Amino acid sequence: MSWYRNVVWFVKGLREYTRSGYESASKHFDPADLEVDVAGRSFLITGSNSGIGKAAAKEIARRGGTVHLVCRNKERAEDAKGEIVTETGNQNIFLHIVDISNPKEIWKFAEKFKTEHKLNVLINNAGCMVNNREVTENGLEKNFATNTLGTYVLTTALLPLLEKEADARVVTVSSGGMLVQKLDISDLQSGSGTFDGTMVYAQNKRQQVVLTEQWAKTHRSIHFSVMHPGWADTPAVRSSMPDFYQKMKNSLRTEAQGADTVVWLAVSSEAAKLPSGLFFQDRQPVPTHLPLARTHSPPGDEEKLMEVLEEFSQKFKSTSPGSPQCH
């Protein structure tokens, strides 16, 4: 069955996920959807010093939003901040240095952020595809720590702040690769068997879809969405998937094309009219499973995932106030 999923997904990808797929889909976009002024609204974007995160930050900044860049690398983040301010003329760009693979650091950051800022939209964009199994200082497998647990901890920590605001949203950048994976809660940290970074990443991206669906059920005042940016030419793709990049580089989307649906979900009034908890591609809700792929999981597994992540989250929550660097 796995070979079937992979073949169907790749054929679908060649048709829909490439630059030509975006160009075809964009013929049906309404430009008015993004002709908005979001001055006074606050946006937090993780992994925003390059790629899709930086492209989304620029578009939101151009529309007047206050943008909080959450990045791991201080030097690259400061360069990105300078570029965004220069290109957009928006001075309301703030930088926070946080490692999303470190749940203790996320908790400290979130507790401090809640006392100093408001938040209308959280964009979970930071991602990681490590092709050899690495364990963080907290004893967590790095892909899982960044993509799944990091997303869970940051989102749940900031939910009380989001719930104070009108038209609050959470947008999570997943991947179409999740379509080849059925949720597997038996080995969340990929400790057994052969380690395949691409499949671990795809599993994490499936987990992000489940998180979005579950949050949408329990937090009705916030609009949750998760999306696939398509196959875009980003630094992460070049470094994590060099063979794929070499084969596909002439067909990949630009960073701005990859970020388009992120921006649309974050700022357009049309996106908020659609039900919470959906998976999007090119401004349209799309199925979370391929036909006949047998990737549906029992509801008990989805609930168990939330329970396990909550246990992890509480384990790393510190009572001492933190003071991550903030500029």
Side-chain angles (χ1 to χ4, degrees):
M1 181 51 67
S2 60
W3 66 266
Y4 166 81
R5 290 177 201 157
N6 292 341
V7 169
V8 171
W9 174 77
F10 191 70
V11 170
K12 180 182 176 69
L14 289 174
R15 187 175 66 246
E16 299 177 17
Y17 302 164
T18 53
R19 191 187 314 133
S20 62
Y22 174 84
E23 289 164 353
S24 175
S26 66
K27 291 173 185 171
H28 305 286
F29 293 173
D30 184 348
D33 285 1
L34 294 185
E35 290 169 4
V36 294
D37 181 350
V38 291
R41 281 175 69 77
S42 172
F43 300 77
L44 188 155
I45 310 174
T46 65
S48 40
N49 64 1
S50 67
I52 287 165
K54 185 170 77 171
K58 281 183 186 176
E59 292 304 319
I60 291 167
R62 282 193 182 102
R63 289 161 177 78
T66 295
V67 181
H68 295 274
L69 309 174
V70 172
C71 308
R72 187 183 56 192
N73 183 297
K74 186 171 185 286
E75 191 178 335
R76 285 188 302 192
E78 298 211 330
D79 287 346
K81 177 186 172 181
E83 185 182 321
I84 293 165
V85 170
T86 302
E87 285 191 25
T88 68
N90 187 337
Q91 298 294 320
N92 293 317
I93 312 298
F94 300 94
L95 185 54
H96 310 270
I97 306 304
V98 186
D99 183 351
I100 297 296
S101 74
N102 186 330
K104 290 180 182 176
E105 219 174 284
I106 298 170
W107 269 119
K108 287 180 180 178
F109 159 71
E111 294 303 322
K112 186 169 187 287
F113 188 90
K114 283 190 284 192
T115 66
E116 298 175 351
H117 304 282
K118 73 168 199 167
L119 184 62
N120 298 93
V121 181
L122 168 61
I123 299 174
N124 290 308
N125 167 73
C128 170
M129 187 194 293
V130 177
N131 290 310
N132 295 303
R133 192 174 188 275
E134 288 182 28
V135 176
T136 70
E137 64 186 72
N138 295 307
L140 301 165
E141 189 277 315
K142 194 165 186 179
N143 291 298
F144 167 77
T146 307
N147 303 326
T148 303
L149 185 59
T151 297
Y152 180 87
V153 173
L154 183 63
T155 304
T156 52
L158 293 176
L159 284 174
L161 198 58
L162 287 159
E163 286 175 332
K164 293 178 182 177
E165 304 298 329
D167 189 20
R169 308 183 190 190
V170 175
V171 181
T172 299
V173 180
S174 180
S175 166
M178 71 92 193
L179 290 166
V180 305
Q181 286 283 313
K182 177 180 178 177
L183 176 66
D184 180 4
I185 59 169
S186 67
D187 186 22
L188 289 175
Q189 301 207 59
S190 312
S192 60
T194 305
F195 186 88
D196 181 337
T198 306
M199 287 300 109
V200 170
Y201 178 82
Q203 174 63 214
N204 295 160
K205 294 297 166 177
R206 167 63 71 187
Q207 291 160 4
Q208 290 179 335
V209 171
V210 172
L211 291 183
T212 299
E213 292 169 344
Q214 294 296 310
W215 282 326
K217 291 176 189 173
T218 52
H219 299 277
R220 299 297 179 90
S221 65
I222 300 171
H223 189 275
F224 292 88
S225 58
V226 60
M227 58 79 68
H228 173 38
W231 293 342
D233 185 351
T234 65
V237 168
R238 280 175 239 163
S239 62
S240 299
M241 305 174 71
D243 294 344
F244 173 81
Y245 175 73
Q246 284 304 320
K247 290 190 185 89
M248 300 298 299
K249 61 184 177 183
N250 296 323
S251 304
L252 297 176
R253 298 179 176 204
T254 65
E255 292 171 346
Q257 289 170 344
D260 176 82
T261 296
V262 177
V263 177
W264 183 81
L265 288 166
V267 308
S268 79
S269 58
E270 290 304 306
K273 293 175 185 174
L274 292 162
S276 183
L278 298 180
F279 179 61
F280 288 82
Q281 175 186 311
D282 292 332
R283 303 192 191 181
Q284 291 289 324
V286 292
T288 55
H289 299 276
L290 293 168
L292 309 175
R294 298 183 191 170
T295 48
H296 290 270
S297 52
D301 282 6
E302 297 176 0
E303 289 157 16
K304 181 66 176 172
L305 174 68
M306 302 304 280
E307 289 171 15
V308 171
L309 293 177
E310 181 61 19
E311 285 171 18
F312 269 120
S313 178
Q314 292 303 318
K315 176 181 167 186
F316 292 109
K317 187 175 183 180
S318 170
T319 51
S320 59
S323 53
Q325 301 166 61
C326 177
H327 309 274

